Amino acid sequence: MSSRDAILGRVRRALADVRQDDTPPVPERPGRYPQYDEAIDRSYLREHGDRSVKETVDLLAENLADYRALVHRCTEEELPEVLMRLLTERGSTSVLVPPELPPSWLKAVDATRVHDRAESTPHELDRVDSVVTGCAVAIAETGTIVLDGSPDQGRRRITLVPDHHICVVRVPGQVVSSVPQGLERLDAARPLTWISGPSATSDIELDRVEGVHGPRTLEVVLVSGTPPEAEVTSQHLAV
Amino acid sequence: MSETFVGMPAFPPPAFPAFPKAAREAVNNPTLRGNLRHATHTIRAKRARAVAEVSDWAALREAGKQIKDHTLRHLDRYLVQLEESVTRAGGTVHWAADADEANRIVADLVKATGEREVVKVKSMATQEIGLNEALEAEGIHAYETDLAELIVQLGKDRPSHILVPAIHRNRGEIRDIFAREMSAWGRPAPEGLTDTPAELAEAARLHLREKFLRAKVGISGANFMVAETGTLVVVESEGNGRMCLTLPETLISVVGIEKIVPTWQDLEVFLQTLPRSSTAERMNPYTSMWTGTTDAETADGPRTFHLVLLDNGRTDTLADEVGRQALRCIRCSACLNVCPVFERAGGHAYGSVYPGPIGAILSPQLRGTASEIDASLPYASSLCGACYEVCPVAIDIPEVLVHLRERVTQGGQVTQRGNKVVLKPAKGHAAERAAMRAARWALSRPGALRTGQRLASRTRRLHPRALPGPGKAWTGSRDLPAVPAEPFRDWWQRTHGGKDSGK
């Protein structure tokens, strides 16, 4: 008997006392039995508090900063200038660029652009100073930005190996209040990275220290002036 | 081998002393007690603040409990569903009935890549099965990359906490371990390393970076596996998890079968409760989610993904109607941080990779209660209930502790490695059992009880104030309660329940 059959057999025998009149599990194909929803009491909140769109964006900025991300706010027109300034202040001579980062964002930047390519080795990435990306969604209540590997964000490793990550969030279009709302917007099939502040550890005396393996500096630029594709989703927020 | 092996084979040998003996040593170590007290008190206050921030905590906790219970009740179906969705997404699923099998599967997978070293994300499951030692025996070096795990590995030490395995070490001790040991494992610690946490973290960053950048094989566990999508989730802080999950070409994840949640939506509950319960943060710095492998065009992360589903005593635990709730555990370690026993005895006394209250109910169920340490763990608690109160999936730890005490003293039917067996009552409780038998005899015979009580009342002047023999210590600071002049029943009859004036 294979271990698979052995384990499944043990599970079934172990559950001999509970199998009757119980909620059926979710089906094996997408879409699920309504019974599952009835089995779980989801009376917890979809979001905490009642905030306006502006307040939600402010909360995002506040929570990002609370976990030591450096937060900047600007308009769409000011963005190239801001990115140029941040990279110059950092002294970056090279910057990783995802394939479809809007070209206008980096038009004022002098640093050498390094493209996100499958062939690059981790050692090559390690020699790049900074990386600039967009994001998929930002969660205000937890101060989290989520990357999903879309063409304006690139492969997961490009936001990991360089020590300086600048993430551009379009506000309010890409901002949601809560974790449940964030998950609704995400596609499980994509590789996802949730980022809440720069790399940190609590391993020494349970005291939080920033800066271990991931980028030690995380800068988040909140860009207002909603671009066209975000208009639809922003209604989502204006509850 | 008839017992399920849970962790730490190389040092010291598997026979752990009973909890009271091990705890006595820890309690007499003032440095250890200071370190533990400082750390647990810091996190306790922070956790309380993080939990108070969300007004619907009770509802989230209840939903988490229900999701986990539902999943466990249908675990066979969800396991099959998960296998299908992971396979569909390009992963390969393996099944391991016990630690030996899991270790063999992983060692063979690593050998098939031709590599001799692997980088590891902190994982309770791989600690539980003693994977590092098993790989070492096959000539494969496993490098722990979590800061606390690194401290433990370099210090040839044992983990003492689920979340912070080096909680028993203070910054000075960590500095000494780094300065002394790093050079033997790779890049030495910087000259003049001080004990500031930031410098220690920097030393770990430099030491591990070369290993991350050249690693071809990564090994991880997972916090959650989503059955409907085949997605695995790893929650972490440092970025070592991201390194191990994205840079290598091959990723092997060893995950306990109870880590499943049915749907993508279910993550909305646990991603709110887990960070606040464990590190007391609104959200941990990094969470990685991946579903199988990506196609050649996307080429994001490992090209090969293996999932090893681990039983190792979990199905035996599932067979216990009271004890199975322990499988709801999401390994947040909040129960350790609030436990007055853990705070004083430390994690090592629990003789398992799972210390604290959750360990006291998990280890004796995963391993059985045959060994000295496992038979003593259900007693490693004052039953104060603080663990139950903070548990984000509402595991009634005191209930399971009492249940396991009953199993230890009375024996009875349990499941071991899938087979039903009948345990004999433990030895060494003969006096207690005799006393209970005598009580049962007397209380079920009113005549005998009456005679006995009257006899006790008449002879009350002759009763000693202190107990003789082994009871002496107990009465060293207490008097034995005095027997009344007349049994209650006699008084009731004589006075009609106090209505007559007679006293």
Side-chain angles (χ1 to χ4, degrees):
Chain A
M1 186 167 56
S2 72
S3 289
R4 178 185 190 275
D5 296 339
I7 293 172
L8 289 173
R10 286 181 190 180
V11 170
R12 287 177 190 129
R13 285 198 299 281
L15 293 169
D17 64 306
V18 292
R19 297 321 286 267
Q20 290 83 20
D21 64 81
D22 209 348
T23 325
V26 296
E28 278 147 31
R29 296 278 164 259
R32 55 188 208 225
Y33 287 125
Q35 285 96 324
Y36 179 61
D37 289 326
E38 282 162 26
I40 311 299
D41 177 4
R42 295 192 195 269
S43 58
Y44 51 86
L45 303 172
R46 301 308 296 169
E47 63 181 295
H48 297 90
D50 188 18
R51 279 178 296 270
S52 69
V53 172
K54 185 185 170 299
E55 285 166 340
T56 304
V57 174
D58 289 346
L59 181 67
L60 173 68
E62 190 184 311
N63 283 338
L64 280 165
D66 191 31
Y67 283 159
R68 308 284 189 280
L70 306 172
V71 182
H72 312 275
R73 306 179 77 151
C74 68
T75 63
E76 188 86 24
E77 293 76 49
E78 293 162 346
L79 181 62
E81 192 70 19
V82 170
L83 291 176
M84 190 264 288
R85 181 169 57 77
L86 296 179
L87 289 167
T88 310
E89 282 170 5
R90 172 87 185 179
S92 298
T93 57
S94 56
V95 56
L96 259 160
V97 185
E100 289 180 27
L101 194 79
S104 63
W105 288 9
L106 294 183
K107 67 184 177 198
V109 171
D110 292 329
T112 313
R113 285 144 179 81
V114 180
H115 295 283
D116 171 26
R117 295 180 307 134
E119 302 77 46
S120 304
T121 65
H123 286 98
E124 286 165 10
L125 299 179
D126 196 33
R127 290 193 283 272
V128 183
D129 296 324
S130 302
V131 57
V132 178
T133 69
C135 79
V137 66
I139 302 169
E141 283 181 10
T142 57
T144 304
I145 51 176
V146 186
L147 309 183
D148 72 354
S150 291
D152 64 339
Q153 297 150 48
R155 295 181 176 82
R156 284 174 288 175
R157 59 187 195 166
I158 69 165
T159 53
L160 173 63
V161 181
D163 204 14
H164 178 222
H165 178 197
I166 303 176
C167 181
V168 177
V169 182
R170 295 184 170 105
V171 301
Q174 291 186 311
V175 184
V176 297
S177 284
S178 67
V179 170
Q181 292 169 350
L183 278 163
E184 277 171 19
R185 283 208 192 180
L186 292 166
D187 176 1
R190 306 195 67 93
L192 301 175
T193 306
W194 295 45
I195 300 172
S196 310
S199 159
T201 182
S202 302
D203 279 354
I204 300 166
E205 300 177 4
L206 273 170
D207 203 9
R208 188 175 155 118
V209 183
E210 273 80 24
V212 200
H213 304 297
R216 284 179 289 187
T217 310
L218 172 67
E219 306 206 54
V220 181
V221 185
L222 306 178
V223 185
S224 53
T226 311
E229 79 266 18
E231 263 167 13
V232 185
T233 42
S234 68
Q235 291 168 2
H236 205 81
L237 204 90
V239 192
Chain B
M1 218 177 120
S2 64
E3 285 159 43
T4 301
F5 172 67
V6 186
M8 303 177 297
F11 42 93
F16 289 100
F19 183 84
K21 206 169 154 194
R24 191 167 302 126
E25 270 173 43
V27 167
N28 287 324
N29 179 343
T31 312
L32 177 69
R33 284 192 62 170
N35 295 353
L36 283 169
R37 190 185 146 77
H38 171 72
T40 54
H41 282 250
T42 308
I43 194 77
R44 253 178 235 178
K46 280 199 227 165
R47 179 207 157 270
R49 274 200 301 277
V51 167
E53 260 187 30
V54 281
S55 53
D56 57 341
W57 185 259
L60 285 167
R61 181 175 185 249
E62 180 60 26
K65 169 179 186 258
Q66 291 182 9
I67 291 167
K68 284 282 183 178
D69 273 349
H70 168 89
T71 313
L72 291 171
R73 280 201 302 273
H74 302 281
L75 193 58
D76 52 336
R77 295 282 303 272
Y78 284 121
L79 282 167
V80 172
Q81 190 191 5
L82 177 79
E83 181 186 38
E84 281 178 6
S85 31
V86 169
T87 309
R88 203 181 315 131
T92 311
V93 178
H94 310 259
W95 301 69
D98 57 23
D100 287 345
E101 189 176 11
N103 289 333
R104 201 166 53 243
I105 292 170
V106 176
D108 288 347
L109 288 171
V110 177
K111 279 194 246 170
T113 65
E115 291 297 317
R116 283 310 200 188
E117 61 175 43
V118 299
V119 286
K120 280 190 68 204
V121 201
K122 178 171 155 28
S123 133
M124 295 310 297
T126 58
Q127 271 183 30
E128 175 190 319
I129 61 176
L131 179 65
N132 293 2
E133 293 78 5
L135 290 178
E136 200 64 50
E138 301 273 351
I140 299 163
H141 297 290
Y143 296 112
E144 290 292 351
T145 62
D146 172 75
L147 178 52
E149 291 287 4
L150 178 72
I151 297 165
V152 168
Q153 191 174 39
L154 291 177
K156 300 180 184 63
D157 201 353
R158 291 193 287 127
S160 69
H161 190 278
I162 291 175
L163 177 74
V164 199
I167 195 172
H168 57 288
R169 297 289 193 190
N170 62 37
R171 56 186 75 187
E173 295 173 286
I174 295 167
R175 192 212 76 90
D176 294 345
I177 291 169
F178 278 9
R180 197 175 60 233
E181 302 291 340
M182 269 185 172
S183 56
W185 290 77
R187 182 172 173 151
E191 285 289 321
L193 180 68
T194 74
D195 66 357
T196 54
E199 260 191 58
L200 295 171
E202 170 72 11
R205 177 184 169 97
L206 294 171
H207 177 77
L208 287 171
R209 201 149 184 96
E210 56 173 17
K211 295 191 169 61
F212 287 134
L213 298 183
R214 69 167 187 242
K216 296 281 183 276
V217 182
I219 296 182
S220 83
N223 294 93
F224 306 102
M225 306 187 283
V226 183
E228 70 172 354
T229 60
T231 307
L232 269 74
V233 182
V234 164
V235 170
E236 53 133 353
S237 294
E238 297 168 17
N240 63 312
R242 293 180 67 194
M243 291 277 181
C244 296
L245 298 169
T246 53
L247 295 185
E249 288 162 9
T250 302
L251 172 61
I252 305 168
S253 300
V254 182
V255 189
I257 52 172
E258 82 284 17
K259 293 278 160 215
I260 298 189
V261 295
T263 70
W264 177 249
Q265 190 194 353
D266 296 328
L267 293 176
E268 71 189 19
V269 175
F270 300 109
L271 289 179
Q272 294 192 77
T273 51
L274 178 55
R276 288 177 200 268
S277 296
S278 56
T279 50
E281 292 165 304
R282 286 181 205 106
M283 188 61 86
N284 50 292
Y286 297 130
T287 298
S288 294
M289 302 181 180
W290 74 99
T291 305
T293 52
T294 55
D295 56 34
E297 197 193 335
T298 314
D300 187 347
R303 286 181 309 222
T304 313
F305 170 54
H306 295 277
L307 172 60
V308 181
L309 294 171
L310 177 72
D311 179 349
N312 205 36
R314 286 160 175 77
T315 50
D316 294 344
T317 309
L318 187 65
D320 188 305
E321 287 175 42
V322 179
R324 63 166 63 118
Q325 57 182 308
L327 296 176
R328 293 205 294 259
C329 176
I330 55 174
R331 309 280 190 266
C332 72
S333 70
C335 62
L336 279 64
N337 298 333
V338 296
C339 179
V341 177
F342 178 86
E343 182 190 329
R344 288 160 181 87
H348 290 158
Y350 293 81
S352 153
V353 298
Y354 302 111
I358 186 64
I361 62 169
L362 211 46
S363 309
Q365 295 202 87
L366 293 176
R367 304 193 287 206
T369 49
S371 72
E372 205 185 339
I373 178 68
D374 289 316
S376 69
L377 283 176
Y379 298 89
S381 167
S382 62
L383 301 181
C384 77
C387 48
Y388 175 39
E389 211 164 288
V390 296
C391 178
V393 286
I395 300 169
D396 191 341
I397 293 177
E399 182 192 15
V400 183
L401 284 168
V402 171
H403 171 72
L404 292 173
R405 288 179 187 186
E406 194 181 309
R407 178 189 292 178
V408 169
T409 53
Q410 303 196 341
Q413 195 182 67
V414 295
T415 308
Q416 280 181 354
R417 303 178 73 73
N419 300 313
K420 290 211 164 80
V421 294
V422 177
L423 292 183
K424 280 193 223 124
K427 294 183 191 108
H429 296 265
E432 190 183 336
R433 258 197 300 276
M436 288 299 165
R437 257 199 304 272
R440 185 172 62 200
W441 184 87
L443 292 169
S444 54
R445 285 168 182 77
L449 183 67
R450 192 164 51 236
T451 313
Q453 285 179 333
R454 284 180 186 160
L455 190 67
S457 288
R458 303 249 163 79
T459 57
R460 61 200 287 252
R461 281 178 216 294
L462 306 174
H463 294 175
R465 283 280 180 79
L467 285 172
K472 201 173 164 186
W474 191 82
T475 46
S477 55
R478 307 169 181 84
D479 280 345
L480 277 179
V483 174
E486 173 180 36
F488 174 78
R489 284 159 191 250
D490 288 358
W491 170 85
W492 183 274
Q493 278 217 310
R494 185 169 55 78
T495 63
H496 295 99
K499 281 184 203 142
D500 296 359
S501 58
K503 254 189 74 178

